Amino acid sequence: MLNRLSSIFCFFICILVLSLSGCVSAPRRGSDPTQVPSLEPAAMLKMQDVPVPAGFVFAPEESYAFQSTNFRAGLLRYKGKGVGDQVIVFFKEQMPMYGWNLVNIVEYERRLLSFEKDQETCIITVEGKDSRSIITVSIAPKSQASPRKTDKPIK
């Protein structure tokens, strides 16, 4: 009798767990299916003022970085789930919060976002297929314009 009650109890627990897990991925009522869902920033950043979407994994074997008190440069690569449009919207919204100004966006097979801040430039490349994306963050000092050596016009 006790064994049968245990079996019935386990059966109901399994049914309850299965029915609740089916509700986790159900879309919210009133949500716009054409709207691109937003991505959240990751908690740990390789560079404190360059956000990365949560869920993207750092690829150290494809990255390098150099940082000193007056200089930093690097190429950081991340891989993860996220449609290209989601990633672009993420950087357009998040980078200004870290003091970066959007300079331009170039779109072709991949997408390039160029940002500037103080004496640095940051180029973010987004490429990928389906729902997988690769993000490459390139950061370096701004190039200095070379001063003209003569004020005489060229004839």
Side-chain angles (χ1 to χ4, degrees):
M1 178 73 176
L2 184 60
N3 193 18
R4 184 178 170 139
L5 285 174
S6 298
S7 297
I8 292 172
F9 180 73
C10 287
F11 174 77
F12 283 114
I13 293 295
C14 289
I15 295 296
L16 179 66
V17 168
L18 289 174
S19 65
L20 290 177
S21 66
C23 297
V24 170
S25 63
R28 288 183 258 162
R29 287 185 184 161
S31 63
D32 183 3
T34 61
Q35 185 179 10
V36 177
S38 62
L39 298 173
E40 295 295 320
M44 296 295 293
L45 302 176
K46 294 293 178 191
M47 293 196 176
Q48 294 300 325
D49 61 343
V50 180
V52 176
F56 276 75
V57 178
F58 178 64
E61 68 282 353
E62 300 176 36
S63 304
Y64 72 88
F66 174 80
Q67 192 164 350
S68 69
T69 54
N70 299 324
F71 176 86
R72 70 177 174 169
L75 184 136
L76 307 174
R77 187 156 289 155
Y78 300 87
K79 298 176 181 181
K81 279 190 163 185
V83 179
D85 290 337
Q86 286 178 307
V87 177
I88 297 301
V89 169
F90 171 84
F91 284 110
K92 284 171 65 178
E93 290 176 350
Q94 293 292 317
M95 289 293 277
M97 293 181 196
Y98 291 82
W100 292 97
N101 298 312
L102 180 63
V103 176
N104 59 37
I105 299 175
V106 177
E107 295 186 61
Y108 55 106
E109 290 178 4
R110 54 182 95 159
R111 298 166 184 185
L112 299 169
L113 292 94
S114 181
F115 293 91
E116 287 184 344
K117 174 182 181 178
D118 301 326
Q119 297 302 311
E120 293 180 307
T121 184
C122 180
I123 298 171
I124 298 171
T125 306
V126 180
E127 52 191 321
K129 295 181 180 176
D130 302 322
S131 65
R132 306 282 306 161
S133 291
I134 299 171
I135 299 170
T136 305
V137 176
S138 304
I139 193 163
K142 284 183 188 176
S143 63
Q144 301 296 325
S146 59
R148 289 189 155 192
K149 296 186 182 204
T150 180
D151 291 334
K152 295 180 185 177
I154 299 174
K155 295 182 182 180

